[in-house]
Every structure is written in C-alpha cells, then in structure tokens.
Amino acid sequence: MLSTVSVDGVVHRWEDLRLQDFAQGFFFGAGFFTTFRMDAGQPRFLARHLARLRLSLDAFPTAVRAPAPALVQEDAVRESLRRCLAADAALGNRFTGVGKLAVSDGHVLCTFRPFAADLEAHHREGRELDSVEAGAYRRAERTVNHKGLAYFRQHALLPRLPVLTNEAEEVCELPTANLFVQLDGALVTPPLSAPCLPGIARAVLLALASVDGLPVVERVLPLADLSRAQACFYSNAVALAVGVPRLLGRELPDSLRLAERARAALEARAVREG
C-alpha cells in the first residue's frame, strides 16, 4: 500500500494515523469498505461505489458510527482523491491502480495500492477454479450483501479462490468476486438472496442486459449446473472480468473470449459514467 492517505478529505501519511481514531473498525470490524479501479487518475464507477457504501451504513445504523453525510458524497470524495494524488509523486495525477474507501468510527479513510502483479496474466490467461467451499453461506444471510471490514472469512479463502455455496448447494460467489456462467443460452449470475455481494461490475453487467449477444440474467444457480456450463468468468470492480478456462475439472475454452467482451463492455460503460 502507498503511504499517502486521506482522512475525511485531509491528506496524511499512513504512518501518522492514530489507532484510537479507528478503534471501532480495527477491533470489531464495525465498518464498510469499497475498492475501485483508477485509470490515469480517474476513479471508475465512483458514484456506484459510494451509493453502495451509503446503503450499507443505512442498513446498520446502530452497529457502525457513520461519518458526516457530506463526506461520502461524490464531489467530496473526488476532491480527496485529487488532493492525495497531487501530494505524492509516487501517485501523481495519472495514477493507475486501486483506491479503497473505508468508513468507520465516523471517518472516511482513503488509501491506494498498485494493481496485483498477476492481474495482466489473469486477463490474458484466465484463472482456474478447482474447488468448492460447500455450505459457506446461508440463504438470505444479510451481512454477505455488504462489504464489511470484518472480512476474514473471504480473505482466508483467497489463495484457493473456491466457489462458495449455500446450504442448498446453490452457487453464491467467489471470495472477492461475482460469478457469471454461460448456461442455457444466457449469462447467469446468482441472486443477492443466494446470498452474494451486490458487486459493482455485476450491477453494470445486469444493467447492460447483454454481453456478446447473451442476455444477462440473475437466477438461482445450482452447483450441479456448473457441469453444463459453456463458459465462465468472474467479475469485480478492479479486475473487471477474468475468464475461467477450467471450471471444477472441465475445460471451458470460450471463457477467455467471453471475459474479454465483458471487460470491454465494462470499460466503455466506466468511461461514459465518468
């Protein structure tokens, strides 16, 4: 992570922050975060990220001390980002990488990091999904629909990147991404009630309604149906879309092309939304 950060719009160095100012989030995970892609200094889908943060704060008003409403408005966050990029030559006005907003303890903390070293390789070659974490979630489990700071369960599973299912053997998501499967002439992603995170890239693809001529639909996805998949990719706001050329032992050669089309659609939409 890069050292320049902002707290409530004021630029700081990471090493100068005080733990006592973030005790609720640090000790109890009582807060929310969102990570977003930045291309040449421009945050992608920022309005969507902030809307999701505000919804999460509204959903748990007694569990998380929310910041002043003005601090999670788009203009204020864009100005915070601008100040950080201008203050640090390691960032600069053309910074390309990942921004993160964390809200807890009445504060908005903004940090930055480079893209993962293997991101380009994943875009080019995809990533195999070869395991399942069965029964990881319960249907309609409400906390999964919010990106909370208490993220240990997902973080612990990142090295394996298993397909997470609920108690009914229905697909939910990956630890940090939503899943899309080409099946029965459509591009299928599990519903929020599965449960899964309302990912930003997921929402954009659903709003686009079609990728590479396939209708994008939200419906229950039994784990057994993955054996009939014709192609697959996973999505999040940073990687956009990554093809899955091998899914639970089955070769899916069309996945890389489908993921490339999904990335192109997301990139075009990001530019339009500003």
Side-chain angles (χ1 to χ4, degrees):
M1 187 174 67
L2 298 166
S3 187
T4 294
V5 304
S6 75
V7 179
D8 301 339
V10 179
V11 177
H12 294 269
R13 303 294 288 175
W14 176 257
E15 55 269 24
D16 293 334
L17 299 186
R18 305 186 314 165
L19 177 58
Q20 59 264 39
D21 292 336
F22 301 93
Q24 185 189 38
F26 183 85
F27 289 110
F28 299 103
F32 302 101
F33 76 98
T34 192
T35 50
F36 51 92
R37 185 182 182 97
M38 295 191 69
D39 293 316
Q42 297 301 312
R44 297 308 189 191
F45 300 120
L46 182 61
R48 292 177 181 266
H49 284 280
L50 293 173
R52 188 176 66 185
L53 274 177
R54 292 192 294 266
L55 285 173
S56 293
L57 288 167
D58 290 344
F60 296 91
T62 61
V64 177
R65 186 156 64 90
L71 294 175
V72 285
Q73 297 302 315
E74 185 175 357
D75 287 348
V77 173
R78 285 189 181 276
E79 178 60 17
S80 294
L81 296 174
R82 187 197 65 78
R83 289 174 182 167
C84 287
L85 300 190
D88 189 342
L91 292 168
N93 294 329
R94 303 287 293 173
F95 173 72
T96 293
V98 182
K100 177 177 179 179
L101 294 174
V103 292
S104 69
D105 300 272
H107 298 298
V108 178
L109 171 65
C110 179
T111 59
F112 304 88
R113 62 175 170 83
F115 286 133
D118 54 6
L119 179 60
E120 287 190 11
H122 285 162
H123 280 168
R124 184 174 61 252
E125 303 165 9
R127 181 169 177 180
E128 177 182 358
L129 301 181
D130 61 3
S131 65
V132 175
E133 190 76 9
Y137 296 162
R138 292 291 178 268
R139 278 178 174 168
E141 182 181 343
R142 192 164 71 109
T143 58
V144 176
N145 298 145
H146 302 274
K147 203 164 185 177
L149 292 177
Y151 211 59
F152 181 77
R153 173 168 55 179
Q154 290 90 340
H155 188 75
L157 295 172
L158 273 178
R160 283 197 296 124
L161 206 66
V163 176
L164 306 178
T165 72
N166 62 23
E167 78 280 14
E169 297 188 337
E170 297 163 347
V171 174
C172 297
E173 61 181 5
L174 304 185
T176 60
N178 295 112
L179 200 64
F180 286 82
V181 178
Q182 183 180 347
L183 191 68
D184 301 329
L187 193 54
V188 180
T189 193
L192 297 183
S193 60
C196 64
L197 182 75
I200 301 302
R202 174 187 182 276
V204 172
L205 291 172
L206 284 167
L208 290 172
S210 176
V211 172
D212 198 27
L214 294 169
V216 184
V217 300
E218 181 184 41
R219 71 172 187 236
V220 171
L221 181 60
L223 179 64
D225 281 1
L226 296 188
S227 66
R228 301 189 294 110
Q230 296 170 278
C232 176
F233 66 84
Y234 62 83
S235 72
N236 61 42
V238 173
L240 299 181
V242 174
V244 179
R246 185 176 174 86
L247 176 62
L248 303 181
R250 293 184 63 244
E251 302 292 335
L252 299 177
D254 290 338
S255 294
L256 295 181
R257 179 186 59 82
L258 184 61
E260 184 178 7
R261 298 291 176 85
R263 276 199 310 277
L266 288 164
E267 288 168 351
R269 185 61 173 262
V271 171
R272 286 199 296 273
E273 291 193 14

